[in-house]
Amino acid sequence: MDKISVIVSCYNEEESLPLFYKEMERVRKEDFQDVEFEYIFVNDGSKDNTLKEIKNLRENDSKVRYISFSRNFGKEAAMFAGLEAAEGDYITLMDADLQDPPSLLRQMYDYIKNDGYDCIGTRRVTRKGEPPIRSFFARIFYKLINKMSKVEMVDGARDYRLMTRQMVDAILQLKEYNRYSKGLFSFVGFNTKWIEYENVERVAGETKWSFWKLFKYAIEGITAFSTTPLIISSVIGLLFCLISFLLIIFIIIRTLIYGDPTSGWPSMVCIIFFVSGVQLFSLGIIGQYLSKTYLEVKHRPIYIVKETEKGETMIKK
Ligand code: UDP
Ligand code: MG
């Protein structure tokens, strides 16, 4: 019998968790009589009663396993911890807020079993319920990153996906500290089929992603999967050298012909401002890559575990 591992990352999800478990169990009983299940709840340093809720579920259901972090390490770290702990033949990643409908899971499982796919991904075709400004920047981000990176990022792709053991093992080999999963899933390759669905709003609680957090996450994606910004800043630098060279020749000739009346102070100030702006911008780009490298070479653990269903404290990468 196949076993499916359901990995759920939870950060302050005390309200959503019981609802998620109920719905997931309903789907499991209805559609999955022929499949074994395990749940891995990753408590990402929640400040509310999430851990208590998880322990409650564990008491009544031995399928429930959990990993509790020593603090909030972020969703990427939580997903990685879940993937490391999963023991199933097929592994799925889900949010606790029911924005990833469990009802799609049977269809995903059938595709993977019968049609030879290694991974079934899901993507939202609408972004209803989301602030328009957020959708707008999301769209720009996907356009940009797909131009800049060889690794394909699908617009609207969720982290909700069902993968084979083989693909998960491949992902686990990527031990980088700055994790951008959408890119990592794409990077490892394998045969992926996309299922589309309409956006669902979260059942309870509120989103943990502020605009600023999303912006930083976007930069993460770009620096992790593209070096194009470095090329752009080099090209701009070169272009400016060329322009200044032409200007120098122009000024020399003009001085030779018309003499040297002192003028051009305002234009000079504008030029200085502009050029130093470009310099700082380029320096910032280089700084981004440098800082990511800095964090990477420290080899800090991606997450630190405080407690699991087995009780013991363990520290793992
Ligand atoms: N999450 C997490 N750690 C964090 C932030 C979020 O584990 O630091 C989890 C959260 O509990 C939820 C999932 O990631 O299960 C998606 O978060 P959310 O619903 O807030 O994001 P959105 O759906 O609005 O993009
Ligand atoms: Mg959500």
Side-chain angles (χ1 to χ4, degrees):
M1 200 147 92
D2 280 337
K3 185 175 190 176
I4 295 184
S5 302
V6 180
I7 298 170
V8 189
S9 47
C10 316
Y11 178 53
N12 297 346
E13 300 284 6
E14 59 177 3
E15 292 160 59
S16 326
L17 256 186
L19 299 171
F20 169 85
Y21 177 76
K22 208 170 131 213
E23 168 68 9
M24 189 63 238
E25 275 292 282
R26 187 188 65 76
V27 169
R28 185 186 69 80
K29 283 182 193 139
E30 261 172 36
D31 300 344
F32 285 100
Q33 273 110 11
D34 53 341
V35 184
E36 212 181 313
F37 263 69
E38 74 172 349
Y39 295 104
I40 300 176
F41 292 101
V42 184
N43 173 33
D44 185 12
S46 301
K47 293 184 177 67
D48 62 1
N49 288 322
T50 301
L51 184 58
K52 224 164 117 194
E53 287 292 341
I54 296 175
K55 284 181 176 170
N56 255 343
L57 297 177
R58 163 77 186 176
E59 256 166 41
N60 304 312
D61 182 352
S62 62
K63 294 192 302 300
V64 173
R65 300 173 53 202
Y66 66 87
I67 303 168
S68 185
F69 287 176
S70 59
R71 66 168 169 85
N72 179 249
F73 279 87
K75 191 188 174 191
E76 289 290 342
M79 290 193 295
F80 184 70
L83 290 176
E84 279 198 322
E87 287 167 356
D89 309 291
Y90 299 93
I91 292 109
T92 180
L93 294 164
M94 281 191 191
D95 286 0
D97 56 7
L98 284 177
Q99 278 191 300
D100 302 329
S103 51
L104 289 177
L105 202 57
R106 181 70 218 193
Q107 193 191 353
M108 292 159 78
Y109 178 70
D110 287 341
Y111 274 129
I112 240 178
K113 275 307 265 190
N114 307 328
D115 298 352
Y117 290 101
D118 303 294
C119 172
I120 311 295
T122 59
R123 60 183 285 260
R124 300 184 288 184
V125 279
T126 55
R127 285 174 171 272
K128 87 175 154 49
E130 198 184 62
I133 183 103
R134 201 165 137 173
S135 312
F136 173 73
F137 278 107
R139 215 155 285 136
I140 290 185
F141 167 71
Y142 282 108
K143 280 228 173 74
L144 263 178
I145 196 160
N146 279 314
K147 284 232 162 65
M148 290 198 289
S149 173
K150 276 196 209 116
V151 173
E152 194 201 351
M153 316 271 173
V154 178
D155 187 359
R158 304 272 309 165
D159 292 324
Y160 182 26
R161 51 179 63 227
L162 185 68
M163 294 173 281
T164 58
R165 167 69 17 210
Q166 189 189 26
M167 178 162 172
V168 170
D169 286 343
I171 289 164
L172 289 177
Q173 282 176 26
L174 308 173
K175 298 211 184 291
E176 59 209 73
Y177 180 78
N178 296 285
R179 303 188 73 77
Y180 184 75
S181 280
K182 285 194 179 87
L184 299 178
F185 292 138
S186 192
F187 175 87
V188 295
F190 294 101
N191 225 346
T192 302
K193 181 185 174 64
W194 292 97
I195 293 185
E196 300 184 344
Y197 72 101
E198 302 258 320
N199 191 30
V200 186
E201 292 188 44
R202 62 162 41 243
V203 278
E206 50 194 46
T207 177
K208 275 86 201 173
W209 293 89
S210 63
F211 191 80
W212 178 236
K213 244 178 146 180
L214 278 174
F215 179 75
K216 286 203 294 195
Y217 191 55
I219 301 278
E220 189 99 39
I222 292 173
T223 49
F225 285 95
S226 164
T227 46
T228 310
L230 290 171
I231 298 173
I232 293 174
S233 69
S234 311
V235 169
I236 293 178
L238 214 67
L239 200 71
F240 272 60
C241 283
L242 201 75
I243 293 173
S244 70
F245 185 69
L246 293 177
L247 276 175
I248 289 169
I249 294 179
F250 169 75
I251 286 169
I252 290 176
I253 293 175
R254 198 182 62 176
T255 313
L256 287 178
I257 297 175
Y258 298 106
D260 184 19
T262 313
S263 70
W265 150 250
S267 56
M268 181 71 90
V269 171
C270 294
I271 290 165
I272 289 175
F273 263 88
F274 184 56
V275 173
S276 43
V278 170
Q279 280 173 346
L280 275 182
F281 178 67
S282 305
L283 206 59
I285 291 176
I286 297 169
Q288 278 305 319
Y289 285 92
L290 187 67
S291 73
K292 296 293 173 203
T293 315
Y294 176 60
L295 290 173
E296 213 63 68
V297 295
K298 287 199 237 195
H299 290 297
R300 284 185 179 159
I302 296 169
Y303 60 89
I304 293 172
V305 175
K306 186 164 177 229
E307 172 179 359
T308 72
E309 82 278 356
K310 297 187 184 91
E312 85 262 53
T313 320
M314 57 171 192
I315 297 177
K316 258 181 78 189
K317 254 200 289 274

